Amino acid sequence: MNIPDYVGRKLNNVLDEIKKYEDSYKIIIKETISPANKDTVENTECRIVRQKVSDNTIEITVSYF
């Protein structure tokens, strides 16, 4: 199955797209937060900064900007 590249996109915009792979892949979403943004996460946007697809796993790392 060909998984699209989601890097750079807002997480909220791709969650529904990612869910369609739940039957075939284990989906892991990790967070990384810049120390400067830790206090204002509620007011920032969340984007995908890294995507790794292996055998039966889709691993996505998100960051707050």
Side-chain angles (χ1 to χ4, degrees):
M1 187 178 292
N2 191 13
I3 308 298
D5 184 7
Y6 294 115
V7 174
R9 294 180 60 190
K10 290 183 181 180
L11 182 62
N12 290 342
N13 295 346
V14 297
L15 281 178
D16 288 335
E17 291 180 42
I18 292 171
K19 287 180 184 178
K20 70 181 178 185
Y21 299 109
E22 285 180 325
D23 293 338
S24 304
Y25 291 87
K26 178 180 178 183
I27 299 172
I28 302 169
I29 299 177
K30 297 181 177 181
E31 289 181 314
T32 177
I33 302 175
S34 167
N37 291 333
K38 282 186 179 178
D39 296 331
T40 60
V41 167
E42 303 83 30
N43 299 325
T44 59
E45 65 182 38
C46 181
R47 290 197 178 260
I48 298 170
V49 293
R50 186 176 304 129
Q51 174 179 323
K52 180 180 175 185
V53 179
S54 57
D55 297 331
N56 292 341
T57 305
I58 300 173
E59 184 177 311
I60 291 178
T61 305
V62 298
S63 187
Y64 296 91
F65 295 93

